[in-house]
Amino acid sequence: MIMEGEKFSKKNRKKIVFSSSNYLKLVLVALLFSICLISLTFCFKISIISNNNELLSYSDASDEFYDRLDQVYNEYHGEDKEFAKFVITSTFTVIHLHIPDFTYEDMSLDMMRKVADLMVDEVEHDDGSITYTDKGEEAVKEGLVDYFKDVDSSLSDTTCKRMAEDVYDYIEDYLEFIGANEGEGNGSTSSCVGNSYWWPIGSADTTLENDVTFASGDPVPSTITATFAGNDSVHDGSHGAIDISNDLGVGGTNIIAAKDGVVIYPTSDEQIQYADNGYVGNLDGGGYGNYVVIEHSDGNYTYYAHMAQGSITVMAGDTVKQGQVIGKMGNSGSSTGVHLHFEVRSGGNTSSNRVDPLDYVSMESPRSSCVDFSLTTSSLSKQEFISKMEAYCTNSGNNAFCTNFSSHAEEVYDVSVEAGVNPELVVVTAGTEQGWEKCDGYSNYWGIGISNGESCSGGPHLTSLAEGIRTYANVLKEYQPGGAKASLIETRNQEREAAGCDAAGHGPPGSLAGMQSIYSWVGDYRFSPGTWGRGGCKYLDIIYGSGYCSTKSVCTNYSNCPASSATTVCEQNDYTAWQLQGKLELRNTIFGL
C-alpha cells in the first residue's frame, strides 16, 4: 500500500501467476506455507505470555513436531507430500484455536497420518503404482468430525462440524487466493472475495445445487418497517433488530443465510411448527415464533425470526452457505404482520450482543461481493483476536510479527479500540507497509508521513507501539465522512465510476476501498522500468502481467515525462484494487475473515 505523497512499501506482495490446475496451485501454495512453518524451528524460540496465560510457545516440542511432520511428508508420493503437510498443519491450527491447551506434543505421528489419510486418500498397489479414491467433500468432513471427537470427546457435534468447515476454509481460501491472482491477459484485479453479509431476503427464482436450494439472485422488493432502535408504537427503543416486510404474504418470500455458517437453532421439529397467528405478546418460540440462528466463523450470530410455519429447511448442526434458502417469511410469534425480524449479534450470543444489522447488510447493495472490512470496528472479540494472532505467529514463524505484534496482541486490541480504529486493520496495514518491522528503530510500522524516496527517519519518530497505533488512528480519521480527505475520496469515486473502472478500486468515504483510492498511488506516469519508490511500470507489470508497459507509452526520465505516458484513471483504480487485495488476503490469512 502506498499513501499518495508518502513512501512506497518495501514489503509489497507481488502477484503470483500459475497456469497449472487448481490442485497444483494448492500444492505450490502448500509448499510455501510449509516452508514458513518449518522455518519456525530455525528462526527463534520464544515464549509468548498474554493475559497472564502462557500461550503456545516455541520449544523442543516444536522441533519434534516438525520432525514428525517431515516423517509423514516422506511417507507420501509426489505432489501429495506437500498437500499432506498442508492438511496436517491446517488441522493442527484449527484444533489449537478451539482447544488452546492442545500443543505440539499432542499432535502425535498417528494423528498426523490419520488426518492426512482423510484428505489425501492415496492407494499404493502391489506393482508400485499409485491411485486415488474420490471420497467427496461431505464424506471427508464427516471423517474430520469423527477425528475431532477423538481428539476431545467433550466437543459438541456443532463445534466439530465448524472445525471441519474451518479446515476446508483454509484450502478454499488459498485456492481462491491463487485464482484471484491468476493473471489472464490485461484484466484488472479484483479485491472482492465474497465474504460479506448479504441482505437476508432471497430472490423469487431459486436454483438447486447438490440438493440444496439457493435464492441468491436479486432479492424481491421489500422495505424496512422497523429499525434497530425501533422507537415506535410497538417497540420501546430497544428493538435490537431490523424488520423487513413486503406484501407477498405468509410463505411468499424466501429467507436466505446472510453468510456461510453453522445452524445452532432450531434443534427439533416442534420448534418450526408454530402457527402464523402473530400478535404482540405471543410467546411461541420465546416471541420469535419459528426462527433460525446461524453461527458464523467471525464469531457473529444471525437471527431470522417470525418465519412461516413448517417452512424452515435447516436444523442445528447443518452447515449453510450464503444465499441458501433457510425458510419463508411468516407471521409467527410476537409479530404484528408478515415480516422478517433480522438480528446480528457480535462477540457473543446474548441480547446484549445485538448490533445494528445495517452495519453488516445493505438493501442498496444486497449481494455485495467484497469483504466487509471496517476501518473503525473489529468483528472479533478480544480473546478471538488474541487467539488468531497467536495462531498466525505459530504458523508463519514471522519473527517481526511474533515479537512486535503477537506478543502485544492484547495491547494492540485495547489501544486500537480506544483510539477508534479496527485492530485487524492496524495489524494488516503494518504487515503490508513495513512487514511488522520497526522503521529505522521507530514504531512507525505504517509509514506515516514518509514521502516517496525518504527514509523512515523522515516521518514521525514514534517511540512506542501504542503511540504508533494512536497516530495511525488519527490519520484514518481524515478518510472518514467529514474528514479532510472525504471530498477528494468522493471525487475520485465518481471519476472512477464514470470511467467504468473495476468497482473494487474505489468507494465512498469511510470505506476501505475509498481510503485506498487515496492512500494507494502508483505514480503519475508509466515510469519505466520503475522503482519501488516511484512505482509506475514496476507495479503495472505485476498487476496486468509482465510486459504490459511494453505495449504502452512510457517515460524513462521521471522529471520529463510526456503526457502520453500518464497513468490512466483505471490504471490508478486497478492499482488501488491490487493493494486492497493484499490487505484482504493478509487479513484472511491471519484472522480467517
Side-chain angles (χ1 to χ4, degrees), residues 453-581:
E454 289 189 3
S455 67
C456 295
S457 60
H461 293 181
L462 307 172
T463 58
S464 68
L465 178 60
E467 184 184 6
I469 293 171
R470 294 188 182 101
T471 304
Y472 178 58
N474 286 332
V475 169
L476 287 189
K477 291 177 182 176
E478 299 179 1
Y479 300 87
Q480 300 288 347
K485 291 186 169 65
S487 60
L488 179 56
I489 292 174
E490 191 57 52
T491 297
R492 190 154 290 172
N493 187 37
Q494 293 171 1
E495 176 186 53
R496 295 180 177 184
E497 189 73 26
C501 303
D502 187 336
H506 53 276
S511 70
L512 185 60
M515 181 195 79
Q516 288 289 148
S517 70
I518 307 300
Y519 206 89
S520 301
W521 194 247
V522 72
D524 293 317
Y525 299 98
R526 297 187 203 95
F527 180 42
S528 182
T531 66
W532 296 123
R534 288 194 182 274
C537 290
K538 190 80 170 181
Y539 291 99
L540 293 176
D541 279 350
I542 295 173
I543 296 169
Y544 295 114
S546 178
Y548 172 78
C549 277
S550 66
T551 67
K552 304 291 181 180
S553 174
V554 301
C555 66
T556 56
N557 181 353
Y558 199 82
S559 62
N560 187 27
C561 291
S564 60
S565 67
T567 49
T568 67
V569 170
C570 286
E571 284 173 340
Q572 292 288 353
N573 178 87
D574 293 347
Y575 178 73
T576 295
W578 181 72
Q579 288 283 0
L580 178 55
Q581 178 178 295

Side-chain angles (χ1 to χ4, degrees), residues 171-378:
I171 297 171
E172 290 172 354
D173 288 341
Y174 276 108
L175 282 173
E176 188 171 297
F177 164 68
I178 295 302
N181 279 280
E182 186 178 16
E184 296 281 345
N186 293 336
S188 62
T189 304
S190 172
S191 63
C192 302
V193 293
N195 288 338
S196 61
Y197 288 77
W198 281 8
W199 188 246
I201 302 300
S203 54
D205 296 329
T206 61
T207 57
L208 197 64
E209 301 176 21
N210 297 321
D211 295 325
V212 175
T213 302
F214 288 83
S216 52
D218 292 338
V220 297
S222 305
T223 59
I224 298 174
T225 53
T227 61
F228 179 72
N231 192 4
D232 52 40
S233 59
V234 177
H235 308 101
D236 61 1
S238 58
H239 184 206
I242 57 172
D243 287 346
I244 308 169
S245 64
N246 53 38
D247 59 359
L248 298 180
V250 171
T253 303
N254 292 312
I255 305 302
I256 63 171
K259 188 177 181 177
D260 295 358
V262 176
V263 178
I264 63 172
Y265 184 95
T267 59
S268 67
D269 288 336
E270 292 78 9
Q271 294 169 334
I272 64 175
Q273 296 298 334
Y274 296 114
D276 288 286
N277 62 345
Y279 58 87
V280 176
N282 183 339
L283 296 181
D284 288 347
Y288 284 112
N290 307 303
Y291 72 103
V292 171
V293 182
I294 300 174
E295 182 178 3
H296 305 285
S297 61
D298 58 6
N300 289 350
Y301 299 81
T302 48
Y303 277 62
Y304 312 76
H306 307 315
M307 286 202 277
Q309 182 180 21
S311 71
I312 291 175
T313 60
V314 294
M315 281 287 173
D318 290 347
T319 58
V320 293
K321 294 294 185 181
Q322 190 173 55
Q324 179 178 335
V325 175
I326 59 174
K328 304 276 189 179
M329 188 183 291
N331 185 29
S332 57
S334 185
S335 169
T336 57
V338 180
H339 72 281
L340 172 69
H341 171 102
F342 179 65
E343 288 184 18
V344 177
R345 299 186 178 187
S346 181
N349 189 20
T350 68
S351 59
S352 63
N353 296 109
R354 294 182 297 186
V355 293
D356 192 345
L358 293 181
D359 289 339
Y360 292 84
V361 298
S362 169
M363 192 160 54
E364 290 72 28
S365 181
R367 301 290 183 260
S368 173
S369 60
C370 294
V371 172
D372 179 17
F373 195 171
S374 170
L375 301 184
T376 58
T377 307
S378 176

Side-chain angles (χ1 to χ4, degrees), residues 404-405 429-430 433-434 436-439 443-447 465:
N404 297 328
F405 280 83
T429 305
E433 279 299 291
Q434 199 61 36
W436 301 291
E437 297 275 4
K438 284 184 176 292
C439 198
S443 295
N444 189 354
Y445 299 97
W446 304 272
L465 178 60

Side-chain angles (χ1 to χ4, degrees), residues 22-32 79-80 82-83:
N22 276 349
Y23 185 74
L24 279 176
K25 294 172 191 172
L26 180 57
V27 169
L28 288 170
V29 175
L31 174 61
L32 296 175
E79 295 161 353
D80 274 352
E82 302 304 335
F83 187 67

